[in-house]
Amino acid sequence: MIRVTVVDDEALVRSGFELILSAAGDIEVVATATGAEAVDTVRRERPDVVLLDIRMPDVDGLTVLRQLRALPEPPVVAMLTTFDADEYIVTALRSGAAGFLLKDTEPDQLAQLVRTLAAGGVVLSPKASRAVWRGHPGAAGADDAEAARVDLLTRREREVLVLIAEGLSNAEIGTRVHLSAGTVKDHVSATLSKLRVGSRVQAALLAQRAGLLDAGRRHPDSGR
């Protein structure tokens, strides 16, 4: 079972997410909490995944994120937002969030997104992440240093990077490109090292900034 905690200041949102996720046979919502209750609740319940509201009146979602990431065994955290161009999302992703979900995500997609997070994937809506970067000063595209690092990637590593950015776990990437999980893990490690990033989310954001996602859809075989 995937253990989930939902943190939001609105009781209706908490109960709605709990109802939707509890209908999935492999997901258990072990607790819901307000921002002020979040850290103590996570320490007590030890969930695998936390869905965390990015804007709360009692405590800043970014503050809660930093506190959760500082725990000895931090859960995977994805931010919840009602805005597809929320100014805080970029900061959250750079602070260790594994992605973000819009609160109006279709109910039939929500459980699969939680499974992706639990499996080590990232959740970045392409439409929403484009809007985030457009609204973030200085984030119109990859700078020269980032572009140079992307150029170091082999064709296979670029393919893996695009699949990381699409939210796939190592096992799912292996299925897509017909490689073993161990080989995919090696490719992911090499890709993160060449890009000089510390997480899959940072790699996914760099891919977005470098235009690889759109380029990959137009030219699936592009790259070296």
Side-chain angles (χ1 to χ4, degrees):
M1 294 289 285
I2 301 170
R3 295 167 56 84
V4 177
T5 292
V6 180
V7 179
D8 196 285
D9 62 302
E10 296 184 21
L12 185 60
V13 172
R14 297 195 301 269
S15 61
F17 271 72
E18 181 175 16
L19 181 64
I20 293 167
L21 290 174
S22 296
D26 59 339
I27 297 174
E28 178 186 7
V29 178
V30 295
T32 65
T34 64
E37 302 164 338
V39 176
D40 286 341
T41 300
V42 168
R43 283 198 183 107
R44 182 179 67 250
E45 300 295 342
R46 299 173 65 87
D48 304 303
V49 176
V50 173
L51 303 182
L52 172 62
D53 188 9
I54 203 168
R55 292 173 179 259
M56 295 180 289
D58 54 350
V59 60
D60 180 8
L62 296 176
T63 298
V64 174
L65 171 64
R66 286 190 286 268
Q67 292 171 337
L68 294 179
R69 294 296 299 163
L71 293 175
E73 297 181 10
V76 174
V77 182
M79 311 307 294
L80 297 173
T81 178
T82 55
F83 308 100
D84 64 0
D86 196 307
E87 64 194 87
Y88 297 122
I89 288 175
V90 172
T91 301
L93 296 175
R94 287 175 170 166
S95 299
F100 66 95
L101 290 72
L102 300 182
K103 289 186 181 181
D104 60 357
T105 297
E106 292 294 329
D108 59 352
Q109 297 177 0
L110 186 58
Q112 185 54 47
L113 293 175
V114 167
R115 294 184 189 106
T116 295
L117 291 164
V122 299
V123 173
L124 298 172
S125 162
K127 175 184 176 183
S129 36
R130 280 194 295 270
V132 168
W133 283 111
R134 280 199 302 269
H136 187 68
D143 60 26
D144 290 344
E146 288 175 333
R149 293 198 294 271
V150 170
D151 286 341
L152 294 175
L153 301 180
T154 66
R155 173 176 170 175
R156 178 66 81 185
E157 288 164 352
R158 287 189 183 213
E159 184 178 15
V160 167
L161 176 58
V162 169
L163 295 177
I164 288 173
E166 290 180 359
L168 275 63
S169 66
N170 285 359
E172 291 168 330
I173 293 173
T175 299
R176 181 78 66 87
V177 299
H178 310 293
L179 294 174
S180 69
T183 301
V184 171
K185 183 178 179 180
D186 290 342
H187 282 307
V188 171
S189 296
T191 299
L192 298 186
S193 177
K194 287 182 180 180
L195 295 177
R196 300 181 190 174
V197 297
S199 72
R200 298 166 78 96
V201 170
Q202 292 171 340
L205 293 175
L206 200 158
Q208 175 72 49
R209 283 163 56 79
L212 290 186
L213 303 190
D214 291 336
R217 295 185 184 101
R218 291 193 301 268
H219 307 291
D221 296 326
S222 61
R224 288 161 41 204

